[in-house]
Amino acid sequence: MSPVSDRKNISVPAEETEKQKEYSQLVREIIGQRYAEPPKAFVHTYGCQGNVADGERLEGMLEEMGYRLVNELDGADLVLYNTCAIREHAEDRVFGNVGAFKQQKTVNRDMRILLCGCMMQQEWVVEKIKKSYPFVDIVFGTHVMHRLPEFLYTSLSRGKKVREFPEHDGVIVEELPIHRDSDFKAWVPIMYGCNNFCTYCIVPYVRGRERSREPKAIIAEVKQLVAQGYKEITLLGQNVNSYGKNPDYGMNFAALLRELNAIEGDFIIRFMTSHPKDCTYELLDTMAACKKVAKHLHLPFQSGSNRVLGEMNRRYTREKYLDLLHYAYSVMPELSVTSDVIVGFPGETYEEFLETVSLVEEAKFTSMYTFIFSPRNGTKAAQMPDPVSREEKGKWFKELLDAQEKIAAVRTASMVGKTYRVLCESVSKGGLIEGRTQGNIIIEFPAETSVIGSFRDVKVTESLTWILRGELQ
Ligand code: SAH
Ligand code: SF4
Ligand code: F3S
């Protein structure tokens, strides 16, 4: 256990959270005077589940200040984009969307446009906004999200622009108001930031150093969610396998899982993302032993070539990765593994790419997120020579998808005739109920909408490569 003083360093002081509550109240008063009915706020989050979890807190803060959350942009009094910087495409979409507001701002001067999240933690982005999108009212980075009430107060009371994206390393803020998007599936961040500095990745630069939440705060949150009837709890972190190291709480991720598994109630626990370098047999044994932990492992491998893995600074080998998978399948025969992979890392040759294909064939993933390398400003990989054309990388990408499609089809076909316990989630486009197996595979079946939010046994009748069809038992 680390000394208490260590922990204080990462927690926002109580005076700061109190101050934000006061700002929140002041904003409430201003909008109470300005609007006859609660103004409408449209929040859109890009990127990973961690960002989605932040988005739910931003929505919670806005609600507390008196805004009404809406799902459509048209007619909104406040628009907040919670952005992602992981690939160029994600950033381009944000610039495109913000550009479209220029005209609207001239019609509705009282409208507030806010940008936050990972993109805003980059100097060049904020410079570009100042130059090309000066009408944006508030820009704030990832380390000051909890100060949204203060920023809105500055903007609403004095019409002043806000640009706040301090470099200082992240903090943990407990007890922010929250607006959860679902009443049966909940995101629970267990750690923030990342220390790994994979050479292609922007996350450590925009999210700061790795820091874990206190076990007792996580356990209390999960207990509360279960008491409220939540059925699926997803623990979030960029590298959940290093949970509890910074600061040292004397509890690693496997131990945290055991604690959460012991909470009474009918619910399942998921987690993401696992980093192979920190994934241990202890964790896999714990997954196998804990009844409430879904038998699904998201374990990004990124490349099947040891040379490329070295250049990526991933700190494991292809052999170590496959060994982990073999062990995992041996203790959990029903395990479903999903993964992330990057095609066309700078300097990757076609032969090295084929090693990725062969790993995919051996690993038998249920599904895979495949990305073409996207150079990120300030990362090491962005400086590396990258001779292979985008067009060529596109061909490799397609080749990999074809290989994975065949594997996924075999896997889903092997599920036909079996019955799975499914969490019913929504209505599909075709009017069927859509649920997910523990392995995170979507299954559609005819049923009443009243099943949504509950676990049901569903027998698989048909496989459609990536998803399943079935019938209620
Ligand atoms: N922390 C997780 C990944 C988070 S980012 C992990 O280490 O596995 C999600 C995925 O985006 C990564 O797994 C990687 O496959 C992809 N990614 C990250 N940076 C990228 C880049 N510059 N270009 C292309 N894909 C990238
Ligand atoms: Fe990025 Fe690597 Fe950290 Fe994942 S582990 S967030 S890929 S630096
Ligand atoms: Fe994107 Fe930031 Fe997540 S860069 S992937 S939103 S941590």
Side-chain angles (χ1 to χ4, degrees), residues 331-359:
V331 292
M332 292 172 279
E334 278 284 321
L335 180 71
S336 156
V337 184
T338 54
S339 200
D340 293 350
V341 53
I342 296 177
V343 170
F345 184 80
E348 182 177 51
T349 63
Y350 183 63
E351 286 65 37
E352 287 166 340
F353 162 73
L354 288 180
E355 292 185 68
T356 290
V357 178
S358 82
L359 188 147

